[in-house]
Amino acid sequence: MLNPSWLKTFVTLIDTGHFTKTAEKLFMTQPGVSQHIKKLEQVCGHPLIERHNKSFVITEAGKTVYDYAKQLESQQQQMLNSLSQDDPYSGQVSISCSGSLALLLYPHLLNLQCKYPELISLLEAAPHHKILADVISGNVDLGIVANEPSDPRIDSQQFGSEPLCLMLPREQASKKLDQTALKEIGLIRHPDAEHYLSLYFSRCGEEELAAININQLPSKGYINQLSQILLPVAQGHGFTILPKSALEAFPLKEQIAVYQPESEVIETLYLLTKRHRQIPARFETITQAMRQQLN
């Protein structure tokens, strides 16, 4: 039987990609991490990682062991959750949503946890496609997306709404924007940029913007950390589109101009769960807390 501690160390190593970070996360020494990996490889009879100086890559055998360990972890968590699934104020709930929503919702979920310490929210910021995949696979309990999915493996319900804003450097503020102007300014891309661009241009009520091919917009940068996306915009390096809540949380908002389109663009949000999944009472507690904040 494989030692659960070795498996946990191995999974953490693959997830962090770094021996030192693994040691810090598990409150171990780095030699202790290496020893766990060595023992696990000996029991499995195959190398699980290939070491290259200070870095490593996972082997095919390692991928198999990683998937097995994650499955065990998921099964164990499901078992633990099932023990208190009817308690509305106890248990874990994993949630996946956009980065801007995570910034908006997390403080309120923490407040809820202060009130009910046994009710624990696990919140992940992720792009649209990963949210769908994780709900379908069962890796997350609840997902929040802007497009209602048609996948038969998912149940969805309208959950709230949030304005989308085209944000550009203050000195680039303009009464009207067209394809030429946006190409000159350039786009700051992020994981949800294409989704937001398509939605905004199609609903803003301006033919000039609706006709833009978003793939032809030159990139002036890319960042996947929400708190940093507006920084290059504030410094004059490009424009981007994000929910309004992202601007409200940005410390240099006075350096950002928000374009005023003919029609305000409102993003409708949908709450996702895996179809046919039993919904514990604690899900409803978390859902109501998020719904109140969004509305």
Side-chain angles (χ1 to χ4, degrees):
M1 181 177 180
L2 299 180
N3 189 309
S5 296
W6 302 347
L7 289 173
K8 182 177 181 179
T9 301
F10 179 66
V11 167
T12 305
L13 176 64
I14 300 306
D15 288 344
T16 62
H18 202 281
F19 277 83
T20 301
K21 290 181 180 179
T22 298
E24 292 173 351
K25 191 169 184 179
L26 297 179
F27 303 101
M28 298 173 62
T29 64
Q30 188 169 332
V33 172
S34 298
Q35 188 68 13
H36 276 197
I37 301 304
K38 183 178 180 180
K39 289 181 178 179
L40 186 60
E41 288 179 324
Q42 290 174 346
V43 172
C44 292
H46 297 276
L48 305 181
I49 58 174
E50 291 180 357
R51 296 163 177 81
H52 302 283
N53 295 323
K54 294 184 178 181
S55 63
F56 67 88
V57 294
I58 189 171
T59 65
E60 287 301 312
K63 292 178 181 178
T64 300
V65 173
Y66 177 85
D67 290 340
Y68 170 77
K70 293 294 285 185
Q71 184 179 14
L72 283 182
E73 181 181 302
S74 176
Q75 289 174 348
Q76 176 175 288
Q77 189 58 58
Q78 289 178 14
M79 181 273 294
L80 293 175
N81 288 342
S82 68
L83 298 180
S84 59
Q85 66 179 1
D86 292 328
D87 185 343
Y89 308 115
S90 177
Q92 294 186 348
V93 181
S94 55
I95 309 153
S96 186
C97 61
S98 69
S100 60
L101 276 181
L103 278 179
L104 179 66
L105 295 174
Y106 192 53
H108 302 278
L109 293 174
L110 283 180
N111 289 339
L112 187 66
Q113 187 172 341
C114 288
K115 187 176 181 180
Y116 306 109
E118 299 303 318
L119 182 60
I120 301 171
S121 299
L122 308 176
L123 185 60
E124 178 185 21
H128 181 87
H129 68 275
K130 187 176 187 303
I131 297 173
L132 295 181
D134 285 347
V135 170
I136 291 171
S137 67
N139 287 334
V140 299
D141 300 317
L142 305 173
I144 305 175
V145 297
N147 281 346
E148 186 174 16
S150 57
D151 194 300
R153 295 169 292 180
I154 290 177
D155 283 328
S156 64
Q157 58 177 289
Q158 191 167 325
F159 193 59
S161 61
E162 188 174 24
L164 282 184
C165 296
L166 191 156
M167 307 175 198
L168 59 162
R170 176 64 65 184
E171 62 271 17
Q172 296 285 353
S174 172
K175 292 183 179 180
K176 282 289 182 181
L177 287 177
D178 56 20
Q179 181 168 260
T180 300
L182 291 180
K183 283 185 175 181
E184 289 178 357
I185 299 171
L187 174 65
I188 302 300
R189 296 187 181 274
H190 53 84
D192 284 318
E194 282 72 19
H195 166 68
Y196 287 149
L197 286 165
S198 298
L199 185 63
Y200 188 93
F201 289 158
S202 65
R203 297 185 183 180
C204 67
E206 299 186 17
E207 293 183 3
E208 287 272 359
L209 298 184
I212 292 177
N213 183 339
I214 62 176
N215 295 318
Q216 294 179 355
L217 291 170
S219 294
K220 289 294 184 69
Y222 175 89
I223 180 71
N224 67 349
Q225 295 295 320
L226 177 69
S227 60
Q228 301 294 311
I229 293 174
L230 288 176
L231 186 58
V233 178
Q235 294 181 354
H237 297 304
F239 80 94
T240 197
I241 296 178
L242 285 170
K244 185 178 180 180
S245 58
L247 178 62
E248 294 172 347
F250 185 59
L252 303 176
K253 59 175 67 69
E254 70 279 357
Q255 298 180 32
I256 303 289
V258 176
Y259 180 67
Q260 301 300 320
E262 293 291 334
S263 300
E264 184 180 21
V265 181
I266 301 295
E267 181 182 44
T268 301
L269 302 175
Y270 296 90
L271 180 70
L272 311 182
T273 54
K274 187 174 183 180
R275 181 157 293 178
H276 304 310
R277 178 173 183 176
Q278 184 178 5
I279 306 300
R282 66 184 181 278
F283 282 24
E284 183 61 25
T285 304
I286 294 290
T287 298
Q288 287 301 322
M290 295 191 296
R291 191 190 301 275
Q292 288 175 6
Q293 181 59 29
L294 290 175
N295 293 333

